[in-house]
Amino acid sequence: MLLLPPPSPPLFRAANFTPVRQLRPIVPPGRLLATAAAASDRVDAFTEYSGYLFELSSSEAESLTEYNISKIAGIYQKKPLILLRRLFQIANTLGKWFALRYYDRVTERADLMFEVRAAELRKILVQLGPAYIKIAQAISSRPDLIPPSYLDELSVLQDRIAPFSTEVAFDIIEQELGLPIDELFAEISPEPVAAASLGQVYQARLRYSGKVVAVKVQRPGVRAAISLDILILRYLAGVIRRARKFNTDLQAVVDEWASSLFREMDYKREADNGVKFRQLYGSIQDVVVPEMYVDQTTCKVLTMQWVEGQKLAEVKDLYMIEVGVYCSFNQLLEFGFYHADPHPGNLLRTYDGKLAYLDFGMMGEFKQELRDGFIEACLHLVNRDYDALAKDFVTLGLLPPTADKDAVTNALTGVFRNAVSKGVQNLSFGDLLGDLGTTMYRFKFRIPSYFSLVIRSLAVLEGIAISFNPDYKVLGNTYPWIARKVLTDSSPKLRSSLQELLYKDGVFRMDRLESLLTESLRARTERALVRKQVDDDSKMVIKQMLSFALNEQGAFVREILLDELAKGLDALGVATLDSVTSAMTANLPFRPNSISSMTDEDMTNLRTLRRLMLLLSGLQQTETSVMEVKGVGLYDGQKSSANEAALLPYGLVSGQEMLPLLSAIAELPPDSQQQLLRLPSDLAGKLVSRVAARTIRRAFL
């Protein structure tokens, strides 16, 4: 559903509804009835072309309130002529169009007729009805996949379909709400302000409250038409799967889509979805979720708060995409309740610069175990851990448990290596899916029905974004929120994943912690609307990092940092003792052979300590490059006197490098400063335990 802005200044902006000048042309219901009656002889293309599908008995219509393929098949088994007529109609209509496209290519005028054929296809889809319009809407948000001429025509299907009779619409409103129009509304628009595949929208003013609302009325006969088309599509999906030997259960995908489509046709359910969506996400900054008027809503009539704005795809506001990415992250990975039909007609930029969500008929549920599996898969992909990624695909239901994990790992390495090498911020759907088709077929990948809706919800945002910024990557801009969740979530599964990510064979992988922290801070920076990169202001980075580590959400990471600091300080003590001993014996006439007490593990811990100190001082990137120039490997276990000297106390961090850290500490809130004061005792306890363990080990082993 889309509420288009009027040519004159709008009555309302966003959710606060501040009056501006005058109302969009709305007339009293009494005068409107005559206008509606005069226009009642007009019939929309869908009704004219496919109206024979509407004729079901009352008992048959009532049995189709929810998706049940057995009931649908039972109904149309008794109506074989309607089924055959629809099959012939679809084959004839689409067959003619494909024949004309083939003729254009043969006669070498395909380019000349491109726009003409695109317009013809749009008209055909409108004639065939909602099921085909919904399919077109699903692909009309991908300018990287659809030619521009077709994209323009299919985009019209999002909100500018020919409406059905207003007289019929008002009859439905009165029947459903049980009152005459003039008792329900003080004013109502003479024509629908928008018409979509399932219904059309009127602007009205409630008589009892004076509030301006959108009234959505369901298109007559839509449930019967969709039921038959789904029955046909489901049969074709089974034929295609058997003929092409697809691993994915295409009929299950159709069933999932059909179930969501039937739920979308229940406006009472949509109102409940809108209420829940508003409760979960309405408080997000710069997100608007309209209020639902449940008492004025039935299965076929929906009344909701009026929202003015422009289609998101038309305003070219990249920040709105960022808000959408953040909101999508919350939908998919925080609460698991997500908008499964976010085509451009359902996303508006309000006139005060906020992102408005409309149309809550098609929603999805993402279970907790799948959310955790999705997060783990993203982590393993970014960190090139393809062996773990293969296991994640089993968890997500993409791979059968019997798949050869080693072979899958090798295949995924070949598929994703180039895409991931570009960096996390440059990850896109196109890069990841580029060569995946062959691998999916070879290893019998399956596409679970839930997964197609999840991917579509993100792909639509990327499709809108790349229409005006080809370099924008939704996956790359979602990852910072994933990194933040992994660092702060209390889920035992995600904490275990973080532990496995940061440690390999007992060795702490500092680079991965740096990556997660850096990405999580990028999410925080975007959320706060700071337009510069986080590394442009080291003081800001340090302050954010300390705030995170010292709050309750950062407790798990804080414990990891304290453990690694204790290991590093323990190794520092050993290195210092070796250095002092060496200096004291340097001038003796008979100097004993110098045997270092430092182990490979101590050297690794000492390097980690230095990188932690540099991380806290905001200089980790610079130092990393310097160490690489000097040839000091971050994780090689080889000892050298030069490297060891560089890691001794005077080589850790200079006083000048620590100034930003000290300055940031002074600006921390009181609660964080109190937590900071408790850290030395916690660190001392861990350090004493390590020193005692080392002493006992040397004494008895």
Side-chain angles (χ1 to χ4, degrees):
M1 177 184 69
L2 172 66
L3 308 182
L4 296 173
S8 58
L11 171 64
F12 296 108
R13 296 190 173 193
N16 54 11
F17 293 123
T18 304
V20 182
R21 292 187 184 177
Q22 68 180 49
L23 195 62
R24 178 196 293 268
I26 293 182
V27 300
R31 280 191 287 146
L32 178 59
L33 291 176
T35 305
S40 63
D41 57 339
R42 290 182 298 178
V43 180
D44 63 284
F46 169 54
T47 303
E48 180 179 8
Y49 194 71
S50 304
Y52 66 92
L53 299 173
F54 302 171
E55 299 175 3
L56 292 179
S57 66
S58 58
S59 61
E60 290 172 336
E62 290 175 2
S63 69
L64 297 179
T65 54
E66 293 186 358
Y67 176 66
N68 186 316
I69 192 62
S70 298
K71 287 184 179 180
I72 294 173
I75 289 173
Y76 287 104
Q77 280 178 354
K78 302 173 184 177
K79 302 176 184 292
L81 294 180
I82 291 181
L83 176 60
L84 291 174
R85 181 177 175 181
R86 187 60 168 175
L87 283 170
F88 177 77
Q89 185 181 41
I90 294 169
N92 183 55
T93 306
L94 292 176
K96 285 182 179 178
W97 185 84
F98 281 111
L100 288 172
R101 286 285 295 138
Y102 177 75
Y103 178 75
D104 291 339
R105 285 197 295 270
V106 171
T107 57
E108 297 183 352
R109 36 174 226 154
D111 294 339
L112 181 64
M113 299 298 292
F114 209 74
E115 294 184 6
V116 175
R117 300 299 179 223
E120 290 175 350
L121 179 61
R122 176 182 58 80
K123 293 177 182 177
I124 288 172
L125 294 173
V126 170
Q127 291 174 341
L128 291 177
Y132 298 90
I133 292 172
K134 281 292 181 182
I135 294 172
Q137 287 176 347
I139 62 175
S140 66
S141 305
R142 297 295 306 189
D144 53 333
L145 303 177
I146 306 299
S149 297
Y150 283 83
L151 189 67
D152 293 341
E153 292 292 340
L154 295 181
S155 296
V156 173
L157 299 176
Q158 293 166 1
D159 51 62
R160 294 194 293 277
I161 297 172
F164 60 92
S165 165
T166 291
E167 183 181 23
V168 173
F170 286 179
D171 285 343
I172 294 174
I173 293 174
E174 291 182 338
Q175 291 171 11
E176 290 291 313
L177 298 182
L179 289 172
I181 286 285
D182 55 0
E183 292 185 25
L184 292 166
F185 308 111
E187 300 173 288
I188 191 167
S189 56
E191 295 291 338
V193 295
S197 56
L198 301 183
Q200 58 196 40
V201 179
Y202 294 86
Q203 185 188 33
R205 188 188 299 276
L206 291 174
R207 182 169 291 281
Y208 76 92
S209 67
K211 293 183 178 180
V212 175
V213 295
V215 182
K216 183 163 72 168
V217 187
Q218 189 169 112
R219 191 177 288 272
V222 67
R223 198 176 291 268
I226 285 179
S227 298
L228 179 53
D229 287 335
I230 286 173
L231 183 65
I232 294 171
L233 289 172
R234 193 178 187 277
Y235 172 76
L236 293 176
V239 171
I240 292 172
R241 185 191 181 191
R242 287 190 296 271
R244 300 294 300 274
K245 298 181 180 179
F246 284 119
N247 300 312
T248 298
D249 187 348
L250 297 181
Q251 288 186 322
V253 173
V254 172
D255 287 337
E256 178 71 18
W257 173 71
S259 296
S260 63
L261 197 53
F262 265 74
R263 290 193 294 269
E264 187 177 2
M265 289 187 285
D266 184 349
Y267 289 173
K268 193 73 174 176
R269 186 194 295 266
E270 179 176 347
D272 293 339
N273 289 339
V275 170
K276 182 176 180 179
F277 197 89
R278 181 182 172 91
Q279 291 173 344
L280 293 177
Y281 315 116
S283 60
I284 294 177
Q285 182 178 332
D286 295 328
V287 170
V288 173
V289 182
E291 180 183 357
M292 299 290 155
Y293 294 90
V294 179
D295 293 338
Q296 286 76 43
T297 295
T298 69
C299 290
K300 295 182 180 180
V301 175
L302 172 66
T303 306
M304 61 184 286
Q305 176 184 354
W306 178 265
V307 179
E308 290 280 4
Q310 296 172 277
K311 289 170 65 173
L312 185 58
E314 295 175 351
V315 295
K316 298 186 177 181
D317 186 343
L318 193 58
Y319 173 62
M320 287 292 95
I321 300 295
E322 294 175 0
V323 173
V325 167
Y326 177 70
C327 190
S328 293
F329 163 79
N330 278 272
Q331 293 173 47
L332 292 170
L333 302 180
E334 286 289 348
F335 298 100
F337 183 70
Y338 63 94
H339 198 301
D341 189 27
H343 66 71
N346 292 335
L347 297 172
L348 301 184
R349 182 190 184 277
T350 63
Y351 291 110
D352 58 352
K354 296 182 179 181
L355 179 65
Y357 282 83
L358 304 175
D359 199 344
F360 305 100
M362 190 178 289
M363 309 297 291
E365 295 277 357
F366 205 19
K367 296 179 181 179
Q368 182 65 55
E369 61 269 22
L370 296 176
R371 300 204 300 267
D372 290 345
F374 188 83
I375 291 172
E376 289 178 318
C378 291
L379 285 175
H380 295 146
L381 173 65
V382 169
N383 288 281
R384 300 179 176 88
D385 191 346
Y386 300 114
D387 183 54
L389 184 61
K391 297 176 183 176
D392 295 332
F393 282 1
V394 174
T395 301
L396 292 170
L398 295 169
L399 272 176
T402 55
D404 185 341
K405 304 296 189 306
D406 293 335
V408 172
T409 299
N410 293 333
L412 292 178
T413 302
V415 169
F416 292 140
R417 182 191 293 114
N418 292 335
V420 177
S421 65
K422 298 177 183 178
V424 62
Q425 297 186 37
N426 296 311
L427 283 177
S428 71
F429 284 105
D431 291 337
L432 294 181
L433 299 177
D435 299 318
L436 192 57
T438 303
T439 302
M440 292 178 67
Y441 181 80
R442 176 185 171 192
F443 293 102
K444 302 185 184 303
F445 270 64
R446 300 170 295 192
I447 305 299
S449 52
Y450 80 88
F451 197 75
S452 58
L453 293 178
V454 170
I455 295 301
R456 180 177 176 239
S457 67
L458 291 174
V460 166
L461 277 176
E462 183 167 272
I464 295 172
I466 63 178
S467 65
F468 54 90
N469 181 0
D471 296 327
Y472 191 84
K473 314 294 183 187
V474 163
L475 287 180
N477 284 274
T478 303
Y479 184 72
W481 301 108
I482 293 176
R484 181 180 176 221
K485 182 173 179 62
V486 171
L487 290 171
T488 60
D489 199 276
S490 59
S491 162
K493 184 174 178 61
L494 288 185
R495 286 193 171 182
S496 175
S497 298
L498 179 61
Q499 195 86 19
E500 292 176 5
L501 185 72
L502 297 182
Y503 290 90
K504 183 176 183 180
D505 299 328
V507 177
F508 183 65
R509 295 188 277 192
M510 183 65 196
D511 57 333
R512 294 193 170 184
L513 178 62
E514 288 176 351
S515 174
L516 285 172
L517 287 172
T518 301
E519 289 298 326
S520 68
L521 293 181
R522 185 163 68 91
R524 288 166 180 263
T525 301
E526 291 177 356
R527 185 72 185 92
L529 303 184
V530 178
R531 295 301 184 180
K532 56 185 176 180
Q533 294 294 322
V534 292
D535 57 357
D536 290 342
D537 188 347
S538 61
K539 183 178 177 181
M540 180 185 68
V541 174
I542 296 168
K543 186 176 178 181
Q544 288 181 331
M545 198 174 301
L546 287 174
S547 297
F548 160 72
L550 295 173
N551 67 24
E552 184 178 353
Q553 287 185 322
F556 186 68
V557 174
R558 183 168 66 246
E559 284 299 308
I560 291 177
L561 292 174
L562 287 175
D563 285 339
E564 294 306 316
L565 282 171
K567 292 178 185 177
L569 291 174
D570 177 35
L572 180 61
V574 175
T576 303
L577 181 61
D578 282 355
S579 180
V580 171
T581 302
S582 178
M584 292 177 62
T585 60
N587 296 321
L588 293 177
F590 300 100
R591 184 171 58 183
N593 293 330
S594 177
I595 301 176
S596 175
S597 301
M598 296 286 288
T599 64
D600 290 348
E601 180 184 353
D602 290 330
M603 289 298 299
T604 299
N605 291 337
L606 206 51
R607 294 188 184 96
T608 298
L609 175 63
R610 179 173 178 80
R611 293 187 70 181
L612 282 173
M613 298 303 293
L614 291 169
L615 179 66
L616 293 174
S617 63
L619 299 174
Q620 74 275 17
Q621 292 182 348
T622 302
E623 178 63 17
T624 297
S625 61
V626 170
M627 292 182 74
E628 288 171 353
V629 170
K630 290 181 177 180
V632 181
L634 295 177
Y635 288 107
D636 72 65
Q638 297 177 352
K639 292 184 291 183
S640 69
S641 58
N643 291 354
E644 186 174 333
L647 297 171
L648 287 178
Y650 49 80
L652 280 174
V653 182
S654 69
Q656 184 69 27
E657 291 171 337
M658 293 299 294
L659 287 178
L661 174 62
L662 298 175
S663 176
I665 289 175
E667 297 180 9
L668 289 174
D671 290 346
S672 296
Q673 291 186 357
Q674 288 295 323
Q675 179 64 49
L676 185 64
L677 292 176
R678 289 192 287 269
L679 291 185
S681 60
D682 295 340
L683 179 60
K686 292 177 180 293
L687 183 58
V688 168
S689 296
R690 283 196 62 85
V691 172
R694 181 190 290 270
T695 303
I696 293 173
R697 187 168 59 249
R698 288 187 174 182
F700 295 99
L701 297 180

